[in-house]
Amino acid sequence: MKPASVEYHKATSIADAVDVLSSTEDEDAKVLAGGQSLVPMLSMRLARPSVLVDINGLTDLDYIRRDGDWLSIGALTRSRAVEKSAAVRDAAPLLSEAMGFVGHATIRNRGTIGGSVAHADPAAEAPAVLCALDAELVITGPAGARTVGANDFFHGFLTTAVGPDEMLTEIRVPVLPAGTGCAVEELARRHGDFAMVAVFAAVTVGDDGRCTDARLALAGTNPTPVRAREAEAVLVGSGLTAETIAQAAQAAAGVTNSANDIHAPAEYRRDMASVLTRRALRRAASDANVVV
Ligand SMILES: Cc1cc2nc3c(=O)[nH]c(=O)nc-3n(C[C@H](O)[C@H](O)[C@H](O)COP(=O)(O)OP(=O)(O)OC[C@H]3O[C@@H](n4cnc5c(N)ncnc54)[C@H](O)[C@@H]3O)c2cc1C
Protein backbone atom coordinates (compact mmCIF):
# COMPACT_ATOMS: atom_id res chain seq x y z
CA MET A 1 0.00 0.00 0.00
CA LYS A 2 0.99 3.65 -0.39
CA PRO A 3 0.46 6.37 2.22
CA ALA A 4 -2.59 8.61 1.90
CA SER A 5 -1.76 12.12 0.80
CA VAL A 6 -0.46 14.31 3.59
CA GLU A 7 0.67 17.91 3.95
CA TYR A 8 4.42 18.16 4.66
CA HIS A 9 5.94 20.84 6.89
CA LYS A 10 9.69 21.11 7.46
CA ALA A 11 10.06 22.63 10.92
CA THR A 12 12.56 25.48 11.23
CA SER A 13 12.60 25.57 15.04
CA ILE A 14 11.00 23.88 18.06
CA ALA A 15 8.61 26.85 18.32
CA ASP A 16 7.67 26.47 14.65
CA ALA A 17 7.03 22.72 15.09
CA VAL A 18 4.85 23.33 18.17
CA ASP A 19 3.01 26.10 16.34
CA VAL A 20 2.03 23.74 13.50
CA LEU A 21 1.16 20.91 15.92
CA SER A 22 -1.12 23.19 17.92
CA SER A 23 -2.77 24.88 14.97
CA THR A 24 -3.72 21.75 13.04
CA GLU A 25 -7.43 21.05 13.06
CA ASP A 26 -8.52 17.72 14.60
CA GLU A 27 -5.16 17.59 16.40
CA ASP A 28 -3.90 15.02 13.93
CA ALA A 29 -0.52 16.44 12.94
CA LYS A 30 2.38 14.05 13.55
CA VAL A 31 6.04 14.67 14.22
CA LEU A 32 8.33 12.91 11.72
CA ALA A 33 11.70 12.00 13.26
CA GLY A 34 13.66 8.99 11.91
CA GLY A 35 10.54 7.62 10.22
CA GLN A 36 11.43 4.02 11.15
CA SER A 37 8.06 3.41 12.81
CA LEU A 38 5.95 6.22 11.37
CA VAL A 39 6.68 5.66 7.67
CA PRO A 40 5.66 1.95 7.73
CA MET A 41 2.53 2.97 9.64
CA LEU A 42 1.73 5.60 6.99
CA SER A 43 2.33 3.08 4.22
CA MET A 44 -0.02 0.57 5.86
CA ARG A 45 -2.46 3.40 6.58
CA LEU A 46 -2.38 2.56 10.28
CA ALA A 47 -1.64 6.28 10.75
CA ARG A 48 -3.38 8.91 8.58
CA PRO A 49 -2.30 12.34 9.83
CA SER A 50 -3.24 15.38 7.77
CA VAL A 51 0.12 17.09 8.44
CA LEU A 52 3.64 15.74 8.93
CA VAL A 53 5.96 18.01 10.91
CA ASP A 54 9.50 16.98 9.91
CA ILE A 55 11.92 17.80 12.75
CA ASN A 56 15.05 16.40 11.04
CA GLY A 57 16.38 19.91 10.41
CA LEU A 58 16.31 20.77 14.13
CA THR A 59 19.97 20.02 14.84
CA ASP A 60 19.64 21.73 18.23
CA LEU A 61 17.71 18.59 19.29
CA ASP A 62 20.67 16.35 18.41
CA TYR A 63 23.12 16.24 21.33
CA ILE A 64 24.43 14.22 24.27
CA ARG A 65 25.71 16.29 27.21
CA ARG A 66 26.98 15.39 30.66
CA ASP A 67 26.07 18.05 33.18
CA GLY A 68 27.20 16.98 36.69
CA ASP A 69 25.02 14.09 37.83
CA TRP A 70 22.76 14.23 34.77
CA LEU A 71 23.07 13.17 31.17
CA SER A 72 20.93 15.15 28.72
CA ILE A 73 20.06 13.70 25.33
CA GLY A 74 18.24 15.65 22.63
CA ALA A 75 15.14 13.92 21.28
CA LEU A 76 16.51 13.87 17.71
CA THR A 77 19.72 12.03 18.69
CA ARG A 78 20.00 8.87 16.58
CA SER A 79 19.78 5.59 18.48
CA ARG A 80 23.19 4.54 17.11
CA ALA A 81 24.79 7.72 18.48
CA VAL A 82 23.38 6.96 21.94
CA GLU A 83 24.59 3.36 21.72
CA LYS A 84 28.14 4.39 20.72
CA SER A 85 28.54 7.46 22.96
CA ALA A 86 31.40 7.28 25.48
CA ALA A 87 29.52 9.78 27.70
CA VAL A 88 26.48 7.47 27.81
CA ARG A 89 28.64 4.40 28.45
CA ASP A 90 30.31 6.20 31.34
CA ALA A 91 27.16 7.65 32.96
CA ALA A 92 24.51 5.04 32.12
CA PRO A 93 26.03 1.82 30.73
CA LEU A 94 22.60 0.15 30.96
CA LEU A 95 21.34 2.59 28.31
CA SER A 96 24.30 1.87 25.97
CA GLU A 97 23.73 -1.87 26.24
CA ALA A 98 19.97 -1.53 25.73
CA MET A 99 20.31 0.59 22.58
CA GLY A 100 22.39 -2.18 20.96
CA PHE A 101 19.22 -4.33 20.95
CA VAL A 102 17.11 -1.81 18.97
CA GLY A 103 16.47 -3.34 15.54
CA HIS A 104 19.53 -3.44 13.27
CA ALA A 105 22.37 -0.94 12.86
CA THR A 106 20.74 0.61 9.78
CA ILE A 107 17.55 1.25 11.78
CA ARG A 108 19.54 2.70 14.68
CA ASN A 109 21.44 4.98 12.26
CA ARG A 110 18.19 6.66 11.30
CA GLY A 111 15.77 6.07 14.19
CA THR A 112 15.96 8.52 17.10
CA ILE A 113 15.78 7.90 20.83
CA GLY A 114 12.99 10.50 21.03
CA GLY A 115 11.00 8.72 18.31
CA SER A 116 11.38 5.40 20.06
CA VAL A 117 10.19 6.87 23.38
CA ALA A 118 7.32 8.87 21.83
CA HIS A 119 6.17 5.85 19.81
CA ALA A 120 5.94 3.80 23.06
CA ASP A 121 5.92 0.32 21.65
CA PRO A 122 5.60 -1.93 24.73
CA ALA A 123 8.34 -4.23 23.38
CA ALA A 124 10.81 -1.41 22.65
CA GLU A 125 14.03 -1.14 24.62
CA ALA A 126 14.38 2.64 25.09
CA PRO A 127 11.11 3.19 27.03
CA ALA A 128 11.83 0.34 29.47
CA VAL A 129 15.47 1.20 30.08
CA LEU A 130 14.53 4.82 30.77
CA CYS A 131 11.99 3.59 33.34
CA ALA A 132 14.72 1.50 34.99
CA LEU A 133 16.99 4.54 35.09
CA ASP A 134 14.30 6.88 36.51
CA ALA A 135 14.87 9.20 33.56
CA GLU A 136 12.95 12.45 33.06
CA LEU A 137 11.35 13.40 29.77
CA VAL A 138 11.03 17.01 28.71
CA ILE A 139 7.90 17.78 26.71
CA THR A 140 7.53 21.12 24.93
CA GLY A 141 4.20 22.64 23.90
CA PRO A 142 2.47 26.00 23.47
CA ALA A 143 2.69 26.67 27.24
CA GLY A 144 6.44 25.95 27.35
CA ALA A 145 8.38 22.94 28.64
CA ARG A 146 7.33 20.48 31.34
CA THR A 147 9.07 17.42 32.74
CA VAL A 148 7.51 14.01 33.32
CA GLY A 149 9.21 11.04 35.00
CA ALA A 150 9.66 8.05 32.70
CA ASN A 151 7.57 5.90 35.05
CA ASP A 152 4.59 8.27 34.58
CA PHE A 153 5.14 8.92 30.87
CA PHE A 154 3.80 5.70 29.30
CA HIS A 155 0.01 5.62 29.58
CA GLY A 156 -0.85 2.58 27.47
CA PHE A 157 -0.17 0.84 24.15
CA LEU A 158 1.46 3.50 21.87
CA THR A 159 0.13 6.18 24.22
CA THR A 160 2.18 8.64 26.27
CA ALA A 161 1.95 11.87 28.25
CA VAL A 162 2.78 13.90 25.10
CA GLY A 163 -0.31 15.86 24.03
CA PRO A 164 -1.30 16.35 20.36
CA ASP A 165 0.08 19.92 20.42
CA GLU A 166 3.33 18.95 22.14
CA MET A 167 6.59 17.23 21.30
CA LEU A 168 9.28 15.41 23.22
CA THR A 169 12.43 17.53 23.24
CA GLU A 170 14.87 16.06 25.76
CA ILE A 171 15.63 12.93 27.74
CA ARG A 172 17.43 13.43 31.08
CA VAL A 173 19.11 10.48 32.73
CA PRO A 174 20.55 10.56 36.27
CA VAL A 175 24.12 9.23 36.37
CA LEU A 176 24.35 5.80 38.02
CA PRO A 177 26.29 5.76 41.31
CA ALA A 178 29.68 4.06 41.70
CA GLY A 179 29.42 0.38 42.57
CA THR A 180 26.51 -0.19 40.17
CA GLY A 181 26.46 -3.21 37.88
CA CYS A 182 24.14 -3.45 34.86
CA ALA A 183 22.82 -6.04 32.45
CA VAL A 184 20.18 -6.41 29.74
CA GLU A 185 18.75 -9.81 28.85
CA GLU A 186 16.40 -10.17 25.92
CA LEU A 187 14.51 -12.93 24.18
CA ALA A 188 13.65 -12.32 20.52
CA ARG A 189 13.05 -14.74 17.68
CA ARG A 190 15.94 -13.28 15.67
CA HIS A 191 18.56 -10.72 16.53
CA GLY A 192 17.10 -7.29 15.74
CA ASP A 193 13.47 -8.35 16.20
CA PHE A 194 11.36 -6.63 18.82
CA ALA A 195 11.72 -8.33 22.22
CA MET A 196 9.28 -11.02 23.28
CA VAL A 197 10.58 -10.29 26.76
CA ALA A 198 13.43 -8.02 27.83
CA VAL A 199 14.78 -7.29 31.30
CA PHE A 200 16.87 -4.25 32.26
CA ALA A 201 18.70 -4.59 35.59
CA ALA A 202 20.96 -2.33 37.63
CA VAL A 203 22.17 -3.14 41.15
CA THR A 204 24.28 -0.94 43.41
CA VAL A 205 26.41 -2.66 46.02
CA GLY A 206 27.70 -0.97 49.21
CA ASP A 207 31.06 -1.49 50.93
CA ASP A 208 29.57 -4.23 53.12
CA GLY A 209 28.52 -6.20 50.01
CA ARG A 210 24.80 -5.54 50.49
CA CYS A 211 22.61 -4.24 47.69
CA THR A 212 21.78 -0.57 48.36
CA ASP A 213 19.70 0.04 45.24
CA ALA A 214 18.07 -2.17 42.62
CA ARG A 215 16.26 -1.29 39.42
CA LEU A 216 14.44 -3.82 37.30
CA ALA A 217 12.27 -2.97 34.29
CA LEU A 218 10.56 -5.28 31.83
CA ALA A 219 9.56 -4.80 28.19
CA GLY A 220 7.29 -6.99 26.05
CA THR A 221 5.28 -8.28 29.01
CA ASN A 222 2.69 -5.53 29.62
CA PRO A 223 0.93 -2.79 27.60
CA THR A 224 3.64 -0.38 28.83
CA PRO A 225 7.15 -0.89 30.17
CA VAL A 226 6.92 -1.86 33.82
CA ARG A 227 9.12 -1.71 36.93
CA ALA A 228 9.29 -4.85 39.05
CA ARG A 229 9.13 -3.00 42.40
CA GLU A 230 8.52 -6.06 44.58
CA ALA A 231 11.51 -7.77 43.07
CA GLU A 232 13.62 -4.67 43.71
CA ALA A 233 12.48 -4.65 47.36
CA VAL A 234 13.61 -8.27 47.77
CA LEU A 235 17.15 -7.24 46.83
CA VAL A 236 17.62 -3.91 48.60
CA GLY A 237 19.28 -4.42 51.99
CA SER A 238 20.21 -8.03 51.21
CA GLY A 239 23.26 -9.70 49.75
CA LEU A 240 23.06 -10.63 46.07
CA THR A 241 22.95 -14.40 46.49
CA ALA A 242 21.53 -17.20 44.39
CA GLU A 243 18.58 -17.33 46.82
CA THR A 244 17.70 -13.62 46.82
CA ILE A 245 18.11 -13.48 43.04
CA ALA A 246 15.78 -16.50 42.60
CA GLN A 247 13.22 -14.83 44.90
CA ALA A 248 13.45 -11.55 42.96
CA ALA A 249 13.08 -13.39 39.64
CA GLN A 250 9.88 -15.01 40.88
CA ALA A 251 8.54 -11.63 42.02
CA ALA A 252 9.41 -10.06 38.64
CA ALA A 253 7.38 -12.74 36.83
CA GLY A 254 4.41 -11.66 38.96
CA VAL A 255 4.19 -8.21 37.33
CA THR A 256 3.72 -9.53 33.79
CA ASN A 257 0.31 -8.94 32.29
CA SER A 258 0.30 -9.92 28.65
CA ALA A 259 -2.38 -11.53 26.53
CA ASN A 260 -1.76 -14.64 24.45
CA ASP A 261 -0.70 -13.45 20.99
CA ILE A 262 0.76 -14.81 17.77
CA HIS A 263 4.27 -14.68 19.24
CA ALA A 264 3.75 -16.43 22.58
CA PRO A 265 1.22 -17.43 25.21
CA ALA A 266 1.09 -15.17 28.28
CA GLU A 267 2.39 -18.01 30.47
CA TYR A 268 5.53 -18.36 28.34
CA ARG A 269 6.29 -14.65 28.69
CA ARG A 270 5.80 -14.89 32.44
CA ASP A 271 8.21 -17.84 32.70
CA MET A 272 10.74 -16.06 30.48
CA ALA A 273 10.50 -12.92 32.62
CA SER A 274 11.65 -15.02 35.57
CA VAL A 275 14.46 -16.73 33.64
CA LEU A 276 15.74 -13.49 32.10
CA THR A 277 15.52 -11.60 35.41
CA ARG A 278 17.67 -14.25 37.06
CA ARG A 279 20.23 -14.05 34.27
CA ALA A 280 20.23 -10.25 34.21
CA LEU A 281 20.67 -10.02 38.00
CA ARG A 282 23.53 -12.53 38.03
CA ARG A 283 25.30 -10.61 35.30
CA ALA A 284 24.59 -7.22 36.93
CA ALA A 285 25.94 -8.58 40.24
CA SER A 286 29.08 -9.80 38.53
CA ASP A 287 29.44 -6.38 36.86
CA ALA A 288 29.34 -4.91 40.38
CA ASN A 289 32.11 -7.38 41.40
CA VAL A 290 29.83 -9.66 43.42
CA VAL A 291 30.35 -13.39 42.91
CA VAL A 292 26.98 -15.16 43.08
C1 LIG B 1 12.58 -3.65 10.87
C2 LIG B 1 12.47 -2.83 12.12
C3 LIG B 1 12.86 -3.37 13.33
C4 LIG B 1 12.77 -2.64 14.50
N1 LIG B 1 13.15 -3.24 15.66
C5 LIG B 1 13.07 -2.54 16.82
C6 LIG B 1 13.47 -3.12 18.05
O1 LIG B 1 13.92 -4.26 18.14
N2 LIG B 1 13.35 -2.35 19.17
C7 LIG B 1 12.87 -1.06 19.14
O2 LIG B 1 12.80 -0.41 20.18
N3 LIG B 1 12.51 -0.49 17.98
C8 LIG B 1 12.60 -1.19 16.82
N4 LIG B 1 12.20 -0.59 15.65
C9 LIG B 1 11.63 0.78 15.70
C10 LIG B 1 12.72 1.82 15.65
O3 LIG B 1 13.45 1.80 16.85
C11 LIG B 1 12.16 3.23 15.43
O4 LIG B 1 13.22 4.00 15.03
C12 LIG B 1 11.57 3.95 16.62
O5 LIG B 1 10.54 3.20 17.17
C13 LIG B 1 10.99 5.29 16.17
O6 LIG B 1 11.97 6.25 16.06
P1 LIG B 1 11.96 7.25 14.83
O7 LIG B 1 12.92 8.32 15.13
O8 LIG B 1 12.18 6.48 13.58
O9 LIG B 1 10.48 7.85 14.92
P2 LIG B 1 9.36 8.04 13.82
O10 LIG B 1 9.11 6.75 13.11
O11 LIG B 1 9.67 9.23 12.99
O12 LIG B 1 8.13 8.39 14.76
C14 LIG B 1 7.53 7.39 15.57
C15 LIG B 1 6.37 8.02 16.35
O13 LIG B 1 6.87 8.92 17.33
C16 LIG B 1 6.41 10.26 17.10
N5 LIG B 1 7.55 11.12 17.36
C17 LIG B 1 8.82 11.00 16.89
N6 LIG B 1 9.63 11.92 17.45
C18 LIG B 1 8.84 12.65 18.28
C19 LIG B 1 9.11 13.75 19.15
N7 LIG B 1 10.32 14.26 19.30
N8 LIG B 1 8.06 14.26 19.86
C20 LIG B 1 6.82 13.75 19.74
N9 LIG B 1 6.52 12.69 18.94
C21 LIG B 1 7.52 12.16 18.22
C22 LIG B 1 5.94 10.28 15.66
O14 LIG B 1 4.95 11.26 15.44
C23 LIG B 1 5.42 8.85 15.50
O15 LIG B 1 4.13 8.77 16.05
C24 LIG B 1 12.29 -1.30 14.46
C25 LIG B 1 11.93 -0.72 13.25
C26 LIG B 1 12.03 -1.46 12.09
C27 LIG B 1 11.64 -0.81 10.79
Side-chain angles (χ1 to χ4, degrees):
M1 277 175 85
K2 299 280 181 217
S5 75
V6 58
E7 192 184 316
Y8 172 85
H9 179 83
K10 189 159 180 64
T12 54
S13 64
I14 297 172
D16 175 50
V18 167
D19 193 39
V20 176
L21 290 170
S22 54
S23 60
T24 304
E25 270 179 46
D26 301 332
E27 301 182 328
D28 69 346
K30 279 249 170 234
V31 170
L32 173 67
Q36 298 301 296
S37 295
L38 183 54
V39 170
M41 288 182 78
L42 293 173
S43 296
M44 290 185 276
R45 301 202 179 190
L46 295 172
R48 293 190 68 161
S50 58
V51 184
L52 278 184
V53 183
D54 183 352
I55 61 167
N56 283 279
L58 305 186
T59 50
D60 52 342
L61 285 180
D62 181 1
Y63 57 85
I64 298 172
R65 287 184 207 124
R66 171 85 178 253
D67 183 14
D69 289 341
W70 288 86
L71 188 68
S72 301
I73 306 175
L76 193 68
T77 310
R78 307 290 162 182
S79 296
R80 186 76 164 163
V82 179
E83 176 197 355
K84 294 292 176 192
S85 159
V88 175
R89 206 162 36 247
D90 184 47
L94 189 66
L95 178 57
S96 310
E97 187 179 349
M99 294 313 282
F101 284 91
V102 176
H104 306 276
T106 43
I107 288 156
R108 298 197 292 276
N109 279 337
R110 189 71 196 154
T112 65
I113 186 166
S116 193
V117 172
H119 188 56
D121 189 301
E125 288 80 8
V129 72
L130 293 176
C131 287
L133 292 170
D134 285 322
E136 294 184 348
L137 303 168
V138 181
I139 299 169
T140 304
R146 63 192 177 99
T147 302
V148 178
N151 288 289
D152 297 319
F153 180 86
F154 301 99
H155 290 181
F157 180 74
L158 305 188
T159 311
T160 71
V162 180
D165 56 354
E166 296 179 311
M167 60 186 282
L168 180 65
T169 44
E170 188 177 75
I171 292 123
R172 305 188 70 233
V173 182
V175 174
L176 285 169
T180 302
C182 301
V184 178
E185 289 288 337
E186 176 164 320
L187 175 72
R189 281 199 182 273
R190 296 168 305 185
H191 175 74
D193 280 6
F194 274 98
M196 288 166 81
V197 179
V199 176
F200 306 83
V203 288
T204 307
V205 178
D207 292 338
D208 63 355
R210 285 178 193 277
C211 175
T212 55
D213 189 27
R215 293 108 176 285
L216 273 170
L218 275 64
T221 55
N222 294 66
T224 63
V226 64
R227 281 284 285 268
R229 304 273 183 196
E230 252 185 62
E232 294 172 356
V234 168
L235 300 168
V236 175
S238 307
L240 295 169
T241 62
E243 290 71 31
T244 54
I245 287 177
Q247 237 183 307
Q250 206 176 358
V255 304
T256 66
N257 179 21
S258 66
N260 298 333
D261 63 23
I262 55 165
H263 302 295
E267 202 173 65
Y268 179 70
R269 283 184 211 262
R270 194 175 60 238
D271 288 351
M272 287 301 108
S274 169
V275 170
L276 297 180
T277 301
R278 200 167 61 239
R279 285 184 195 163
L281 286 172
R282 290 184 83 107
R283 216 156 47 75
S286 154
D287 192 36
N289 294 320
V290 175
V291 180
V292 180

